[in-house]
Amino acid sequence: MLRYALATLALFAILIPGARAADAESTDSLPRYRFSPGQKLFYETRSEGKNRSSTTVNTGTLELIVLKTEPDGAWRIFSRTASAYRQMRGDGEEYVSPERVSMEFFRIYPDGRIVLDEPGPNKPSFNYSLPVLPADAAQAAQGWTLDLGGPFATKIEYSPDMAASKPGHFVIKANFKGTDDAIYKSSMQQWYDFDLGRGLVVAKRNETSQGNDGTGKSEGFATLTQAMQTEPAELEKLTIESEAYQRAVKDYSMLLEQVETDAAAAPAILSRAVQTLRDAKSGLTLPLLVADIDQRIAAHDESVQSMVKNAQWR
């Protein structure tokens, strides 16, 4: 069930069915993403989960900004997710969480293949939120599968929802399968409403369950509420600063890897590593990027201790 929780926190894993699958006989009707540089999309999200002792309501937003088109035809996208939850216990106690804000950079191809710029073992694929699309008319009619791998050997089994009713939309049902399903008696399904004319997911619904008695259940929705164009100056600034940020993060990670193989040079390498982050921060003005660099610098001491210990044991 951990992978489902991660997907919900990281992105907008909570989204509406409600569109008839398009005619799969025509290649023109195959769903394909169509983004353009400067495009900005806003989604509002809400989910509610219940178990024997509490009810939890999560609300949030997802913002996607298309930075540029890559030479291979992919679009590079910046995502910002903000969410908070309210938990009501059966004994009357209530807890309201602070808002959690996270960001991600990724590339997406017209067929929905996604590559994270900074992948990690505990990061869910962005395909939890934006589905991979059928390769041809046969898949669009019969279904297709995405193997995410990872610690839970997750697979997503997609199929068209032919019972939906809105023309011009292709509704995709997704069943998430993993090695931990049998252990936790868990399941997860999502329905994506893909607007064929706009080349976008405009809504999504999510259902999860856990436990033999089915008492652990949640349902969530997300809806595209606004689409607009980013001002050219704002887009240029975000593109330049995000690339500088990513170069610094990549250089920092490479330096940390060197520490693991060269214990003698560790102090000097680690000093260079954290200075890389500080130098990058001095050229950033966007609050979310600055805050992320600050968090990485704050976590540096803990990383130092871990890297040095690993190097000493080699």
Side-chain angles (χ1 to χ4, degrees):
M1 199 65 178
L2 174 60
R3 62 196 165 99
Y4 301 151
L6 287 172
T8 301
L9 287 173
L11 315 171
F12 70 118
I14 27 182
L15 306 176
I16 295 181
R20 185 178 62 194
D23 180 8
E25 298 300 319
S26 169
T27 56
D28 292 339
S29 66
L30 284 175
R32 286 294 179 263
Y33 290 100
R34 289 197 299 275
F35 295 107
S36 59
Q39 191 175 22
K40 184 185 293 187
L41 307 172
F42 294 92
Y43 294 84
E44 292 185 358
T45 69
R46 187 182 190 280
S47 66
E48 181 173 322
K50 296 182 178 181
N51 56 34
R52 288 195 186 96
S53 61
S54 66
T55 297
T56 302
V57 176
N58 187 303
T59 57
T61 59
L62 171 70
E63 177 184 354
L64 300 178
I65 301 178
V66 183
L67 299 177
K68 64 180 181 179
T69 304
E70 300 285 5
D72 63 357
W75 295 278
R76 185 162 175 269
I77 293 180
F78 167 76
S79 72
R80 179 186 183 275
T81 304
S83 63
Y85 68 89
R86 181 167 58 98
Q87 186 177 65
M88 293 76 70
R89 295 176 56 88
D91 58 10
E93 292 187 9
E94 183 173 314
Y95 173 76
V96 179
S97 76
E99 183 179 59
R100 173 177 176 173
V101 178
S102 62
M103 65 178 184
E104 192 69 79
F105 294 91
F106 63 93
R107 286 174 290 134
I108 183 169
Y109 292 84
D111 63 1
R113 287 173 293 136
I114 289 176
V115 180
L116 292 177
D117 282 11
E118 190 184 359
N122 292 321
K123 287 188 175 182
S125 166
F126 222 95
N127 282 121
Y128 277 89
S129 296
L130 300 175
V132 69
L133 302 174
D136 51 37
Q139 287 191 358
Q142 300 170 16
W144 61 103
T145 300
L146 176 65
D147 190 347
L148 295 175
F152 303 107
T154 304
K155 290 184 178 180
I156 307 178
E157 298 176 351
Y158 297 103
S159 60
D161 186 346
M162 305 303 291
S165 60
K166 188 192 300 182
H169 289 242
F170 187 90
V171 174
I172 300 168
K173 181 180 179 180
N175 283 305
F176 292 76
K177 305 289 187 180
T179 54
D180 61 336
D181 289 345
I183 298 173
Y184 297 104
K185 306 297 181 185
S186 58
S187 67
M188 180 177 179
Q189 293 182 320
Q190 296 189 144
W191 290 262
Y192 306 87
D193 182 355
F194 193 93
D195 187 319
L196 292 166
R198 301 171 72 182
L200 297 172
V201 172
V202 294
K204 190 174 76 169
R205 179 168 67 90
N206 165 279
E207 290 182 357
T208 65
S209 65
Q210 183 179 13
N212 290 319
D213 56 4
T215 56
K217 293 184 178 181
S218 68
E219 182 177 27
F221 303 87
T223 305
L224 178 65
T225 57
Q226 189 176 15
M228 57 188 296
Q229 196 69 16
T230 306
E231 291 293 331
E234 179 187 353
L235 180 63
E236 181 181 17
K237 181 178 181 180
L238 176 57
T239 301
I240 292 173
E241 292 200 14
S242 66
E243 290 178 350
Y245 159 86
Q246 289 186 290
R247 283 194 300 270
V249 169
K250 181 178 179 180
D251 291 345
Y252 176 79
S253 298
M254 292 175 63
L255 287 168
L256 290 189
E257 290 176 3
Q258 291 181 28
V259 173
E260 295 185 352
T261 59
D262 192 350
I269 295 173
L270 290 168
S271 178
R272 285 169 52 202
V274 73
Q275 190 59 46
T276 297
L277 296 180
R278 293 192 179 110
D279 290 345
K281 179 185 174 182
S282 67
L284 300 177
T285 61
L286 297 173
L288 196 58
L289 298 181
V290 172
D292 186 86
I293 290 290
D294 281 339
Q295 290 176 4
R296 293 174 186 268
I297 292 173
H300 179 73
D301 288 343
E302 182 178 342
S303 297
V304 166
Q305 295 175 9
S306 175
M307 294 297 106
V308 170
K309 287 180 180 179
N310 288 341
Q312 290 174 341
W313 281 100
R314 290 180 181 272

PDB file of all heavy atoms in Angstrom, residues 3 112-114 124-128 131-133 139 144-158 175-179:
ATOM      1  N   ARG A   3       3.186   2.185  -2.037  1.00  0.00           N
ATOM      2  CA  ARG A   3       3.302   2.821  -3.345  1.00  0.00           C
ATOM      3  C   ARG A   3       2.097   3.682  -3.662  1.00  0.00           C
ATOM      4  O   ARG A   3       2.185   4.709  -4.327  1.00  0.00           O
ATOM      5  CB  ARG A   3       3.522   1.762  -4.432  1.00  0.00           C
ATOM      6  CG  ARG A   3       2.410   0.772  -4.577  1.00  0.00           C
ATOM      7  CD  ARG A   3       2.910  -0.437  -5.384  1.00  0.00           C
ATOM      8  NE  ARG A   3       1.978  -1.535  -5.220  1.00  0.00           N
ATOM      9  CZ  ARG A   3       1.041  -1.851  -6.089  1.00  0.00           C
ATOM     10  NH1 ARG A   3       0.890  -1.140  -7.167  1.00  0.00           N
ATOM     11  NH2 ARG A   3       0.253  -2.888  -5.875  1.00  0.00           N
ATOM     12  N   GLY A 112       2.852   9.426 -24.070  1.00  0.00           N
ATOM     13  CA  GLY A 112       2.745   9.329 -22.622  1.00  0.00           C
ATOM     14  C   GLY A 112       3.944   8.740 -21.918  1.00  0.00           C
ATOM     15  O   GLY A 112       3.938   8.626 -20.690  1.00  0.00           O
ATOM     16  N   ARG A 113       4.988   8.350 -22.655  1.00  0.00           N
ATOM     17  CA  ARG A 113       6.205   7.906 -21.986  1.00  0.00           C
ATOM     18  C   ARG A 113       6.785   9.077 -21.193  1.00  0.00           C
ATOM     19  O   ARG A 113       6.874  10.196 -21.714  1.00  0.00           O
ATOM     20  CB  ARG A 113       7.233   7.392 -22.993  1.00  0.00           C
ATOM     21  CG  ARG A 113       6.903   6.046 -23.599  1.00  0.00           C
ATOM     22  CD  ARG A 113       7.887   5.693 -24.697  1.00  0.00           C
ATOM     23  NE  ARG A 113       7.741   6.599 -25.831  1.00  0.00           N
ATOM     24  CZ  ARG A 113       8.768   7.154 -26.475  1.00  0.00           C
ATOM     25  NH1 ARG A 113      10.005   6.918 -26.072  1.00  0.00           N
ATOM     26  NH2 ARG A 113       8.549   7.945 -27.510  1.00  0.00           N
ATOM     27  N   ILE A 114       7.189   8.804 -19.958  1.00  0.00           N
ATOM     28  CA  ILE A 114       7.646   9.862 -19.067  1.00  0.00           C
ATOM     29  C   ILE A 114       9.022   9.522 -18.510  1.00  0.00           C
ATOM     30  O   ILE A 114       9.290   8.383 -18.114  1.00  0.00           O
ATOM     31  CB  ILE A 114       6.652  10.077 -17.911  1.00  0.00           C
ATOM     32  CG1 ILE A 114       5.373  10.717 -18.448  1.00  0.00           C
ATOM     33  CG2 ILE A 114       7.255  10.949 -16.805  1.00  0.00           C
ATOM     34  CD1 ILE A 114       4.280  10.879 -17.412  1.00  0.00           C
ATOM     35  N   PRO A 124       7.349   7.748  -7.117  1.00  0.00           N
ATOM     36  CA  PRO A 124       6.455   7.058  -8.047  1.00  0.00           C
ATOM     37  C   PRO A 124       6.584   7.650  -9.438  1.00  0.00           C
ATOM     38  O   PRO A 124       6.940   8.804  -9.606  1.00  0.00           O
ATOM     39  CB  PRO A 124       5.074   7.332  -7.454  1.00  0.00           C
ATOM     40  CG  PRO A 124       5.234   8.635  -6.757  1.00  0.00           C
ATOM     41  CD  PRO A 124       6.638   8.642  -6.207  1.00  0.00           C
ATOM     42  N   SER A 125       6.307   6.859 -10.424  1.00  0.00           N
ATOM     43  CA  SER A 125       6.318   7.365 -11.789  1.00  0.00           C
ATOM     44  C   SER A 125       5.222   8.413 -11.960  1.00  0.00           C
ATOM     45  O   SER A 125       4.153   8.322 -11.355  1.00  0.00           O
ATOM     46  CB  SER A 125       6.088   6.217 -12.772  1.00  0.00           C
ATOM     47  OG  SER A 125       5.779   6.708 -14.054  1.00  0.00           O
ATOM     48  N   PHE A 126       5.473   9.403 -12.805  1.00  0.00           N
ATOM     49  CA  PHE A 126       4.430  10.388 -13.076  1.00  0.00           C
ATOM     50  C   PHE A 126       3.284   9.763 -13.861  1.00  0.00           C
ATOM     51  O   PHE A 126       2.242  10.371 -14.065  1.00  0.00           O
ATOM     52  CB  PHE A 126       5.017  11.595 -13.826  1.00  0.00           C
ATOM     53  CG  PHE A 126       4.505  12.912 -13.325  1.00  0.00           C
ATOM     54  CD1 PHE A 126       5.206  13.635 -12.381  1.00  0.00           C
ATOM     55  CD2 PHE A 126       3.308  13.421 -13.772  1.00  0.00           C
ATOM     56  CE1 PHE A 126       4.713  14.842 -11.906  1.00  0.00           C
ATOM     57  CE2 PHE A 126       2.804  14.633 -13.313  1.00  0.00           C
ATOM     58  CZ  PHE A 126       3.519  15.339 -12.371  1.00  0.00           C
ATOM     59  N   ASN A 127       3.485   8.507 -14.331  1.00  0.00           N
ATOM     60  CA  ASN A 127       2.393   7.820 -15.012  1.00  0.00           C
ATOM     61  C   ASN A 127       1.260   7.456 -14.056  1.00  0.00           C
ATOM     62  O   ASN A 127       0.209   6.993 -14.495  1.00  0.00           O
ATOM     63  CB  ASN A 127       2.900   6.572 -15.725  1.00  0.00           C
ATOM     64  CG  ASN A 127       3.596   6.873 -17.034  1.00  0.00           C
ATOM     65  OD1 ASN A 127       4.744   6.548 -17.223  1.00  0.00           O
ATOM     66  ND2 ASN A 127       2.892   7.541 -17.952  1.00  0.00           N
ATOM     67  N   TYR A 128       1.429   7.642 -12.736  1.00  0.00           N
ATOM     68  CA  TYR A 128       0.298   7.532 -11.832  1.00  0.00           C
ATOM     69  C   TYR A 128      -0.702   8.653 -12.130  1.00  0.00           C
ATOM     70  O   TYR A 128      -1.898   8.508 -11.889  1.00  0.00           O
ATOM     71  CB  TYR A 128       0.753   7.648 -10.379  1.00  0.00           C
ATOM     72  CG  TYR A 128       1.266   6.380  -9.767  1.00  0.00           C
ATOM     73  CD1 TYR A 128       2.604   6.023  -9.854  1.00  0.00           C
ATOM     74  CD2 TYR A 128       0.406   5.520  -9.095  1.00  0.00           C
ATOM     75  CE1 TYR A 128       3.080   4.858  -9.287  1.00  0.00           C
ATOM     76  CE2 TYR A 128       0.867   4.349  -8.520  1.00  0.00           C
ATOM     77  CZ  TYR A 128       2.210   4.017  -8.612  1.00  0.00           C
ATOM     78  OH  TYR A 128       2.675   2.862  -8.073  1.00  0.00           O
ATOM     79  N   PRO A 131      -1.426   9.096 -17.829  1.00  0.00           N
ATOM     80  CA  PRO A 131      -1.277   7.724 -18.315  1.00  0.00           C
ATOM     81  C   PRO A 131      -0.453   7.628 -19.589  1.00  0.00           C
ATOM     82  O   PRO A 131      -0.435   8.548 -20.409  1.00  0.00           O
ATOM     83  CB  PRO A 131      -2.729   7.300 -18.588  1.00  0.00           C
ATOM     84  CG  PRO A 131      -3.413   8.579 -18.956  1.00  0.00           C
ATOM     85  CD  PRO A 131      -2.789   9.622 -18.062  1.00  0.00           C
ATOM     86  N   VAL A 132       0.241   6.504 -19.738  1.00  0.00           N
ATOM     87  CA  VAL A 132       0.816   6.190 -21.034  1.00  0.00           C
ATOM     88  C   VAL A 132      -0.344   5.817 -21.946  1.00  0.00           C
ATOM     89  O   VAL A 132      -1.375   5.311 -21.489  1.00  0.00           O
ATOM     90  CB  VAL A 132       1.842   5.033 -20.913  1.00  0.00           C
ATOM     91  CG1 VAL A 132       1.164   3.719 -20.600  1.00  0.00           C
ATOM     92  CG2 VAL A 132       2.687   4.932 -22.158  1.00  0.00           C
ATOM     93  N   LEU A 133      -0.211   6.090 -23.233  1.00  0.00           N
ATOM     94  CA  LEU A 133      -1.325   5.956 -24.166  1.00  0.00           C
ATOM     95  C   LEU A 133      -1.130   4.754 -25.096  1.00  0.00           C
ATOM     96  O   LEU A 133      -0.009   4.267 -25.260  1.00  0.00           O
ATOM     97  CB  LEU A 133      -1.470   7.248 -24.983  1.00  0.00           C
ATOM     98  CG  LEU A 133      -1.681   8.510 -24.139  1.00  0.00           C
ATOM     99  CD1 LEU A 133      -1.661   9.754 -25.030  1.00  0.00           C
ATOM    100  CD2 LEU A 133      -2.987   8.438 -23.350  1.00  0.00           C
ATOM    101  N   GLN A 139      -4.337  -1.761 -29.523  1.00  0.00           N
ATOM    102  CA  GLN A 139      -4.229  -1.525 -28.094  1.00  0.00           C
ATOM    103  C   GLN A 139      -5.368  -0.643 -27.597  1.00  0.00           C
ATOM    104  O   GLN A 139      -5.904  -0.862 -26.503  1.00  0.00           O
ATOM    105  CB  GLN A 139      -2.882  -0.877 -27.764  1.00  0.00           C
ATOM    106  CG  GLN A 139      -1.702  -1.807 -27.871  1.00  0.00           C
ATOM    107  CD  GLN A 139      -0.434  -1.200 -27.294  1.00  0.00           C
ATOM    108  OE1 GLN A 139      -0.414  -0.053 -26.830  1.00  0.00           O
ATOM    109  NE2 GLN A 139       0.636  -1.977 -27.296  1.00  0.00           N
ATOM    110  N   TRP A 144      -3.587  -2.242 -22.939  1.00  0.00           N
ATOM    111  CA  TRP A 144      -2.130  -2.211 -23.008  1.00  0.00           C
ATOM    112  C   TRP A 144      -1.583  -2.163 -21.588  1.00  0.00           C
ATOM    113  O   TRP A 144      -2.315  -1.918 -20.626  1.00  0.00           O
ATOM    114  CB  TRP A 144      -1.646  -1.029 -23.837  1.00  0.00           C
ATOM    115  CG  TRP A 144      -2.026   0.337 -23.328  1.00  0.00           C
ATOM    116  CD1 TRP A 144      -1.243   1.224 -22.678  1.00  0.00           C
ATOM    117  CD2 TRP A 144      -3.320   0.977 -23.447  1.00  0.00           C
ATOM    118  NE1 TRP A 144      -1.935   2.376 -22.360  1.00  0.00           N
ATOM    119  CE2 TRP A 144      -3.204   2.239 -22.830  1.00  0.00           C
ATOM    120  CE3 TRP A 144      -4.532   0.586 -24.006  1.00  0.00           C
ATOM    121  CZ2 TRP A 144      -4.277   3.122 -22.747  1.00  0.00           C
ATOM    122  CZ3 TRP A 144      -5.599   1.476 -23.924  1.00  0.00           C
ATOM    123  CH2 TRP A 144      -5.475   2.719 -23.317  1.00  0.00           C
ATOM    124  N   THR A 145      -0.291  -2.403 -21.424  1.00  0.00           N
ATOM    125  CA  THR A 145       0.308  -2.523 -20.097  1.00  0.00           C
ATOM    126  C   THR A 145       1.590  -1.705 -20.017  1.00  0.00           C
ATOM    127  O   THR A 145       2.361  -1.639 -20.977  1.00  0.00           O
ATOM    128  CB  THR A 145       0.632  -3.997 -19.781  1.00  0.00           C
ATOM    129  OG1 THR A 145      -0.566  -4.762 -19.830  1.00  0.00           O
ATOM    130  CG2 THR A 145       1.253  -4.132 -18.390  1.00  0.00           C
ATOM    131  N   LEU A 146       1.823  -1.105 -18.870  1.00  0.00           N
ATOM    132  CA  LEU A 146       3.070  -0.406 -18.573  1.00  0.00           C
ATOM    133  C   LEU A 146       3.717  -1.067 -17.374  1.00  0.00           C
ATOM    134  O   LEU A 146       3.102  -1.196 -16.315  1.00  0.00           O
ATOM    135  CB  LEU A 146       2.807   1.077 -18.271  1.00  0.00           C
ATOM    136  CG  LEU A 146       4.033   1.897 -17.843  1.00  0.00           C
ATOM    137  CD1 LEU A 146       5.041   1.992 -18.985  1.00  0.00           C
ATOM    138  CD2 LEU A 146       3.612   3.298 -17.395  1.00  0.00           C
ATOM    139  N   ASP A 147       4.950  -1.521 -17.525  1.00  0.00           N
ATOM    140  CA  ASP A 147       5.702  -2.152 -16.434  1.00  0.00           C
ATOM    141  C   ASP A 147       6.609  -1.105 -15.811  1.00  0.00           C
ATOM    142  O   ASP A 147       7.603  -0.694 -16.409  1.00  0.00           O
ATOM    143  CB  ASP A 147       6.514  -3.327 -16.977  1.00  0.00           C
ATOM    144  CG  ASP A 147       7.129  -4.170 -15.862  1.00  0.00           C
ATOM    145  OD1 ASP A 147       7.129  -3.709 -14.697  1.00  0.00           O
ATOM    146  OD2 ASP A 147       7.617  -5.274 -16.157  1.00  0.00           O
ATOM    147  N   LEU A 148       6.271  -0.659 -14.592  1.00  0.00           N
ATOM    148  CA  LEU A 148       7.044   0.365 -13.910  1.00  0.00           C
ATOM    149  C   LEU A 148       8.233  -0.203 -13.157  1.00  0.00           C
ATOM    150  O   LEU A 148       9.161   0.525 -12.813  1.00  0.00           O
ATOM    151  CB  LEU A 148       6.149   1.137 -12.931  1.00  0.00           C
ATOM    152  CG  LEU A 148       5.025   1.957 -13.543  1.00  0.00           C
ATOM    153  CD1 LEU A 148       4.161   2.570 -12.459  1.00  0.00           C
ATOM    154  CD2 LEU A 148       5.583   3.046 -14.454  1.00  0.00           C
ATOM    155  N   GLY A 149       8.202  -1.510 -12.856  1.00  0.00           N
ATOM    156  CA  GLY A 149       9.293  -2.099 -12.092  1.00  0.00           C
ATOM    157  C   GLY A 149       9.332  -1.527 -10.686  1.00  0.00           C
ATOM    158  O   GLY A 149       8.294  -1.305 -10.058  1.00  0.00           O
ATOM    159  N   GLY A 150      10.518  -1.237 -10.176  1.00  0.00           N
ATOM    160  CA  GLY A 150      10.657  -0.653  -8.849  1.00  0.00           C
ATOM    161  C   GLY A 150      10.517  -1.679  -7.746  1.00  0.00           C
ATOM    162  O   GLY A 150      10.368  -2.874  -7.987  1.00  0.00           O
ATOM    163  N   PRO A 151      10.572  -1.228  -6.484  1.00  0.00           N
ATOM    164  CA  PRO A 151      10.569  -2.150  -5.347  1.00  0.00           C
ATOM    165  C   PRO A 151       9.294  -2.978  -5.230  1.00  0.00           C
ATOM    166  O   PRO A 151       9.296  -4.030  -4.594  1.00  0.00           O
ATOM    167  CB  PRO A 151      10.737  -1.223  -4.136  1.00  0.00           C
ATOM    168  CG  PRO A 151      10.257   0.114  -4.609  1.00  0.00           C
ATOM    169  CD  PRO A 151      10.648   0.172  -6.050  1.00  0.00           C
ATOM    170  N   PHE A 152       8.200  -2.533  -5.821  1.00  0.00           N
ATOM    171  CA  PHE A 152       6.940  -3.270  -5.726  1.00  0.00           C
ATOM    172  C   PHE A 152       6.553  -3.948  -7.041  1.00  0.00           C
ATOM    173  O   PHE A 152       5.462  -4.492  -7.155  1.00  0.00           O
ATOM    174  CB  PHE A 152       5.815  -2.336  -5.285  1.00  0.00           C
ATOM    175  CG  PHE A 152       6.084  -1.647  -3.983  1.00  0.00           C
ATOM    176  CD1 PHE A 152       6.397  -0.303  -3.950  1.00  0.00           C
ATOM    177  CD2 PHE A 152       6.057  -2.348  -2.783  1.00  0.00           C
ATOM    178  CE1 PHE A 152       6.655   0.339  -2.746  1.00  0.00           C
ATOM    179  CE2 PHE A 152       6.315  -1.710  -1.582  1.00  0.00           C
ATOM    180  CZ  PHE A 152       6.620  -0.368  -1.561  1.00  0.00           C
ATOM    181  N   ALA A 153       7.482  -3.917  -8.024  1.00  0.00           N
ATOM    182  CA  ALA A 153       7.230  -4.547  -9.325  1.00  0.00           C
ATOM    183  C   ALA A 153       5.859  -4.153  -9.873  1.00  0.00           C
ATOM    184  O   ALA A 153       5.065  -4.982 -10.285  1.00  0.00           O
ATOM    185  CB  ALA A 153       7.343  -6.064  -9.211  1.00  0.00           C
ATOM    186  N   THR A 154       5.596  -2.863  -9.854  1.00  0.00           N
ATOM    187  CA  THR A 154       4.273  -2.366 -10.233  1.00  0.00           C
ATOM    188  C   THR A 154       4.041  -2.430 -11.741  1.00  0.00           C
ATOM    189  O   THR A 154       4.903  -2.049 -12.536  1.00  0.00           O
ATOM    190  CB  THR A 154       4.096  -0.915  -9.765  1.00  0.00           C
ATOM    191  OG1 THR A 154       4.317  -0.847  -8.364  1.00  0.00           O
ATOM    192  CG2 THR A 154       2.701  -0.411 -10.080  1.00  0.00           C
ATOM    193  N   LYS A 155       2.866  -2.887 -12.111  1.00  0.00           N
ATOM    194  CA  LYS A 155       2.405  -2.837 -13.484  1.00  0.00           C
ATOM    195  C   LYS A 155       1.081  -2.087 -13.525  1.00  0.00           C
ATOM    196  O   LYS A 155       0.281  -2.182 -12.601  1.00  0.00           O
ATOM    197  CB  LYS A 155       2.201  -4.242 -14.053  1.00  0.00           C
ATOM    198  CG  LYS A 155       3.481  -5.016 -14.300  1.00  0.00           C
ATOM    199  CD  LYS A 155       3.173  -6.352 -14.961  1.00  0.00           C
ATOM    200  CE  LYS A 155       4.452  -7.124 -15.253  1.00  0.00           C
ATOM    201  NZ  LYS A 155       4.175  -8.435 -15.905  1.00  0.00           N
ATOM    202  N   ILE A 156       0.877  -1.346 -14.601  1.00  0.00           N
ATOM    203  CA  ILE A 156      -0.399  -0.677 -14.811  1.00  0.00           C
ATOM    204  C   ILE A 156      -1.055  -1.313 -16.033  1.00  0.00           C
ATOM    205  O   ILE A 156      -0.494  -1.305 -17.130  1.00  0.00           O
ATOM    206  CB  ILE A 156      -0.234   0.832 -15.043  1.00  0.00           C
ATOM    207  CG1 ILE A 156       0.597   1.473 -13.921  1.00  0.00           C
ATOM    208  CG2 ILE A 156      -1.601   1.500 -15.111  1.00  0.00           C
ATOM    209  CD1 ILE A 156       0.837   2.970 -14.118  1.00  0.00           C
ATOM    210  N   GLU A 157      -2.229  -1.873 -15.826  1.00  0.00           N
ATOM    211  CA  GLU A 157      -2.987  -2.488 -16.916  1.00  0.00           C
ATOM    212  C   GLU A 157      -4.071  -1.516 -17.358  1.00  0.00           C
ATOM    213  O   GLU A 157      -5.011  -1.233 -16.619  1.00  0.00           O
ATOM    214  CB  GLU A 157      -3.592  -3.810 -16.451  1.00  0.00           C
ATOM    215  CG  GLU A 157      -2.540  -4.839 -16.039  1.00  0.00           C
ATOM    216  CD  GLU A 157      -3.160  -6.104 -15.483  1.00  0.00           C
ATOM    217  OE1 GLU A 157      -4.400  -6.111 -15.252  1.00  0.00           O
ATOM    218  OE2 GLU A 157      -2.417  -7.077 -15.261  1.00  0.00           O
ATOM    219  N   TYR A 158      -3.929  -0.984 -18.555  1.00  0.00           N
ATOM    220  CA  TYR A 158      -4.862  -0.005 -19.095  1.00  0.00           C
ATOM    221  C   TYR A 158      -5.895  -0.685 -19.995  1.00  0.00           C
ATOM    222  O   TYR A 158      -5.592  -1.665 -20.668  1.00  0.00           O
ATOM    223  CB  TYR A 158      -4.129   1.044 -19.928  1.00  0.00           C
ATOM    224  CG  TYR A 158      -3.130   1.891 -19.186  1.00  0.00           C
ATOM    225  CD1 TYR A 158      -1.761   1.655 -19.300  1.00  0.00           C
ATOM    226  CD2 TYR A 158      -3.540   2.954 -18.398  1.00  0.00           C
ATOM    227  CE1 TYR A 158      -0.838   2.451 -18.643  1.00  0.00           C
ATOM    228  CE2 TYR A 158      -2.624   3.758 -17.733  1.00  0.00           C
ATOM    229  CZ  TYR A 158      -1.272   3.496 -17.860  1.00  0.00           C
ATOM    230  OH  TYR A 158      -0.366   4.283 -17.204  1.00  0.00           O
ATOM    231  N   ASN A 175      -5.716  -0.358 -13.903  1.00  0.00           N
ATOM    232  CA  ASN A 175      -5.589  -1.217 -12.729  1.00  0.00           C
ATOM    233  C   ASN A 175      -4.111  -1.314 -12.366  1.00  0.00           C
ATOM    234  O   ASN A 175      -3.285  -1.681 -13.206  1.00  0.00           O
ATOM    235  CB  ASN A 175      -6.129  -2.626 -13.010  1.00  0.00           C
ATOM    236  CG  ASN A 175      -7.633  -2.673 -12.986  1.00  0.00           C
ATOM    237  OD1 ASN A 175      -8.264  -2.276 -12.016  1.00  0.00           O
ATOM    238  ND2 ASN A 175      -8.227  -3.152 -14.074  1.00  0.00           N
ATOM    239  N   PHE A 176      -3.807  -0.997 -11.120  1.00  0.00           N
ATOM    240  CA  PHE A 176      -2.427  -1.039 -10.650  1.00  0.00           C
ATOM    241  C   PHE A 176      -2.188  -2.368  -9.943  1.00  0.00           C
ATOM    242  O   PHE A 176      -2.913  -2.733  -9.012  1.00  0.00           O
ATOM    243  CB  PHE A 176      -2.158   0.129  -9.701  1.00  0.00           C
ATOM    244  CG  PHE A 176      -2.188   1.471 -10.387  1.00  0.00           C
ATOM    245  CD1 PHE A 176      -3.389   2.056 -10.744  1.00  0.00           C
ATOM    246  CD2 PHE A 176      -1.021   2.150 -10.681  1.00  0.00           C
ATOM    247  CE1 PHE A 176      -3.436   3.288 -11.394  1.00  0.00           C
ATOM    248  CE2 PHE A 176      -1.038   3.378 -11.330  1.00  0.00           C
ATOM    249  CZ  PHE A 176      -2.248   3.947 -11.679  1.00  0.00           C
ATOM    250  N   LYS A 177      -1.144  -3.077 -10.385  1.00  0.00           N
ATOM    251  CA  LYS A 177      -0.840  -4.386  -9.840  1.00  0.00           C
ATOM    252  C   LYS A 177       0.579  -4.376  -9.272  1.00  0.00           C
ATOM    253  O   LYS A 177       1.500  -3.860  -9.905  1.00  0.00           O
ATOM    254  CB  LYS A 177      -0.929  -5.460 -10.926  1.00  0.00           C
ATOM    255  CG  LYS A 177      -2.262  -5.505 -11.662  1.00  0.00           C
ATOM    256  CD  LYS A 177      -3.372  -6.052 -10.777  1.00  0.00           C
ATOM    257  CE  LYS A 177      -4.648  -6.253 -11.579  1.00  0.00           C
ATOM    258  NZ  LYS A 177      -5.744  -6.789 -10.750  1.00  0.00           N
ATOM    259  N   GLY A 178       0.743  -4.951  -8.070  1.00  0.00           N
ATOM    260  CA  GLY A 178       2.068  -5.008  -7.473  1.00  0.00           C
ATOM    261  C   GLY A 178       2.228  -6.191  -6.548  1.00  0.00           C
ATOM    262  O   GLY A 178       1.239  -6.838  -6.148  1.00  0.00           O
ATOM    263  N   THR A 179       3.469  -6.484  -6.181  1.00  0.00           N
ATOM    264  CA  THR A 179       3.744  -7.655  -5.351  1.00  0.00           C
ATOM    265  C   THR A 179       3.190  -7.529  -3.941  1.00  0.00           C
ATOM    266  O   THR A 179       3.020  -8.536  -3.250  1.00  0.00           O
ATOM    267  CB  THR A 179       5.267  -7.886  -5.263  1.00  0.00           C
ATOM    268  OG1 THR A 179       5.909  -6.677  -4.798  1.00  0.00           O
ATOM    269  CG2 THR A 179       5.834  -8.246  -6.632  1.00  0.00           C
TER     270      THR A 179
END
